Amino acid sequence: MKKYDYLVVGAGLFGAIFAHEAVKKGKKVLVIDKRPNVAGNIYTEEIEGINVHKYGAHIFHTNNKEVWNYITQFAEFNRYTNSPVANYNGELYSLPFNMYTFNKMWGVVTPEQAEAKIKSQREAAGITEPKNLEEQAISLVGTDIYEKLIKGYTQKQWGRPCTELPSFIIKRLPVRLTFDNNYFNALYQGIPMGGYTKLIENILENIEVRLNCDYLEHRDELDKLADKIVYTGAIDAYFGFKYGALEYRSVRFETEVLDKSNFQGNAVVNYTDAETPFTRIIEHKFFEFGTQPKTVISREYSSEWKLGDEPYYPVNDEKNGELYAKYKALADAERQVIFGGRLGEYKYYDMDKVIESALSLCNKEL
Ligand code: UDP
């Protein structure tokens, strides 16, 4: 008889939800995490009374009512709506691309004028079937917006020219002929009041959690504790990188406390020129409409990931897709281990999709 039914490796969103549902079904569960805190990459840390998104800004948004009802059991969500501002060498534009953007860029006033402008730039570029991100972007919004708001930002974020990137990346961004600055097309959106760490702590309430506990270092002892393992760490690390390491884009944050109450007037400002070395500045207090006397900002630098760095964005190209498929085959053969979450499945998951995936595992498994 083992002491636990499940050992959950990783106290992020996926692991926490699985643990919560398993305990609800009467299972004995131990959650471990190698970090000194729960919440994985949605971890928020309070600085000067402000919840700072330590591993990058997370804005919850979903079209799935079930997911929204599920997550709002654990925290009240505020009415934050993401409306980033783009700063191109001091010129400010509204994002995502909408009538405010088109008016500022071209002086156009009506949706028809904006559409005509985009159409003429698309035709002048002579693109019929977009083959890469550059061509996709120009055919969506024309050359001016591509040059000022997309080209530099995308090259900085992905470390590759837009002509070498797949077009689907840009399809995440809405293009609207209305005056709507909401970055997402989701029905439900907000930030958990009190921070994401509190949200995860609520999900993990009354569940045994061991922090500073690295599964891969203590695998032999830990495996003996439970019948089954839910592993949310990196899939390639689990198999000792035997086929080589999967690639990620990484991000470095330079966080600063400023002795003023308002630095940029918005939670997110993107620096879309190629020369500014960071991609964006996050001013954390505005996710929660903060009125603190000080403010905390993070400059975000995108970088190529190397072993030992924190992995962020999976690189969804052919090479990594093939490598992942090899690890996935090994994972499928591990009878007692279930792989889940962004790192376990090597997927560019938004939070709502992580919840969907965790709940679907619960349905199958519990
Ligand atoms: N993007 C851009 N200019 C911007 C913001 C986004 O060109 O000001 C493009 C860029 O190619 C980026 C993609 O849109 O990779 C998706 O951006 P998003 O903000 O959704 O990425 P995330 O917030 O997940 O980092």
Side-chain angles (χ1 to χ4, degrees), residues 112-132:
E112 268 165 14
Q113 292 168 345
E115 207 170 9
K117 194 85 192 168
I118 294 172
K119 186 162 174 268
S120 77
Q121 297 202 346
R122 180 192 303 133
E123 284 172 4
I127 298 160
T128 43
E129 264 180 55
K131 287 184 297 295
N132 53 48

Side-chain angles (χ1 to χ4, degrees), residues 169-280:
I169 293 178
I170 199 75
K171 290 193 187 144
R172 280 171 66 88
L173 282 186
V175 177
R176 299 197 190 106
L177 293 169
T178 57
F179 291 91
D180 179 1
N181 284 331
N182 183 353
Y183 199 63
F184 299 113
N185 282 321
L187 279 173
Y188 308 98
Q189 184 172 176
I191 302 274
M193 285 153 84
Y196 284 95
T197 304
K198 186 84 199 98
L199 168 83
I200 296 292
E201 283 168 358
N202 289 343
I203 299 175
L204 289 171
E205 200 181 341
N206 299 321
I207 295 173
E208 195 180 339
V209 179
R210 254 184 237 172
L211 299 173
N212 299 303
C213 178
D214 188 334
Y215 172 75
L216 297 175
E217 267 176 32
H218 305 284
R219 179 171 206 157
D220 294 339
E221 306 118 74
L222 290 165
D223 282 349
K224 291 192 197 112
L225 296 179
D227 292 327
K228 269 190 145 177
I229 294 172
V230 173
Y231 177 85
T232 71
I235 187 169
D236 51 353
Y238 180 94
F239 293 107
F241 302 100
K242 68 190 279 183
Y243 300 132
L246 289 162
E247 292 176 307
Y248 294 85
R249 284 298 287 173
S250 196
V251 190
R252 185 171 58 82
F253 301 97
E254 267 175 19
T255 296
E256 230 187 296
V257 179
L258 302 179
D259 200 9
K260 56 172 89 171
S261 61
N262 187 353
F263 169 72
Q264 63 183 16
N266 205 33
V268 185
V269 176
N270 292 356
Y271 286 76
T272 57
D273 64 293
E275 291 74 34
T276 305
F278 43 86
T279 52
R280 54 189 167 193

Side-chain angles (χ1 to χ4, degrees), residues 57 59 61 82 84-87 95-97 133 137 145-146 148-155 157-158 162 165-174 183-184 251 268-272 279-280 300 313 348-350:
I59 299 141
H61 57 99
N82 197 30
V85 169
N87 181 327
L95 291 176
F97 312 121
L133 196 149
I145 289 181
Y146 170 68
K148 288 189 170 182
L149 304 183
I150 298 176
K151 190 177 180 184
Y153 185 91
T154 303
Q155 296 193 173
Q157 170 153 3
W158 295 97
C162 292
L165 284 165
S167 51
F168 78 85
I169 293 178
I170 199 75
K171 290 193 187 144
R172 280 171 66 88
L173 282 186
Y183 199 63
F184 299 113
V251 190
V268 185
V269 176
N270 292 356
Y271 286 76
T272 57
T279 52
R280 54 189 167 193
E300 209 170 304
Y313 299 92
Y348 187 176
Y349 263 141
D350 285 334

Side-chain angles (χ1 to χ4, degrees), residues 64 67 73 106 148 165 176 225 238 281 347 350 362:
N64 185 330
V67 164
Q73 299 174 77
W106 299 313
K148 288 189 170 182
L165 284 165
R176 299 197 190 106
L225 296 179
Y238 180 94
I281 301 182
K347 239 177 164 168
D350 285 334
C362 294

